[in-house]
Amino acid sequence: MTETTKPSVLFVCVHNAGRSQMAAGFLTHLAAGRIEVRSAGSAPRDQVNQVAVEAMKEVGIDISTEVPKILTIDAVRASDVCITMGCGDACPVFPGKRYLDWTLDDPAGQGIEAVRPIRDEIERRIKGLITELLPDTDTAEA
């Protein structure tokens, strides 16, 4: 972990408009400030996917004010865990970092019925990640 003792996580997908934004929203909400959260994309869109925004609102998380960001080396360097979601080799690799690749369907161009299962799978994985990073935390009540 970084010198702050607070773990940090970077979510990366190509457009930083769907999967990575939903993951960052869940982690921000469920970790309640105990984990530093970043998200970025290798080719970010100009806005977050509106269906992803709608799907997250259904579970009480507002990501409507988020803005897709470009992936930088500094963001990777500052993160303890880098989670990629379909961006291939776009994420730079640094020794000592933990890298995970979450294979998830892309919500781009999908309707709400198709995005809900993606959202729910992201939530499940986020709860598992919190358990790993903050082992004394009960995510069931969050």
Side-chain angles (χ1 to χ4, degrees):
M1 284 188 268
T2 59
E3 59 275 353
T4 63
T5 70
K6 182 192 286 191
S8 60
V9 176
L10 170 65
F11 296 101
V12 182
C13 66
V14 175
H15 299 127
N16 190 222
R19 295 166 287 192
S20 57
Q21 292 287 355
M22 288 191 289
F26 273 123
L27 188 55
T28 298
H29 178 76
L30 295 173
R34 294 166 295 160
I35 297 173
E36 188 175 348
V37 182
R38 297 178 182 84
S39 71
S42 54
R45 295 273 187 208
D46 57 350
Q47 66 179 18
V48 175
N49 178 325
Q50 292 306 300
V51 180
V53 170
E54 180 184 344
M56 293 300 285
K57 276 188 180 173
E58 290 180 350
V59 295
I61 299 172
D62 184 4
I63 61 170
S64 64
T65 60
E66 296 300 322
V67 177
K69 295 166 276 313
I70 188 75
L71 176 64
T72 66
I73 290 174
D74 289 341
V76 177
R77 190 176 283 130
S79 301
D80 299 309
V81 181
C82 298
I83 300 175
T84 57
M85 303 171 163
C87 64
D89 297 329
C91 193
V93 176
F94 292 98
K97 303 288 177 192
R98 181 174 172 205
Y99 294 88
L100 300 171
D101 185 40
W102 289 358
T103 302
L104 297 159
D105 290 336
D106 189 346
Q110 303 291 327
I112 190 71
E113 293 297 327
V115 173
R116 284 182 184 127
I118 300 168
R119 174 203 62 203
D120 296 345
E121 177 60 18
I122 290 170
E123 180 182 24
R124 185 189 70 73
R125 292 179 190 209
I126 291 298
K127 286 181 175 179
L129 181 66
I130 292 170
T131 300
E132 289 175 33
L133 296 176
L134 305 171
D136 297 329
T137 301
D138 180 12
T139 59
E141 63 189 43

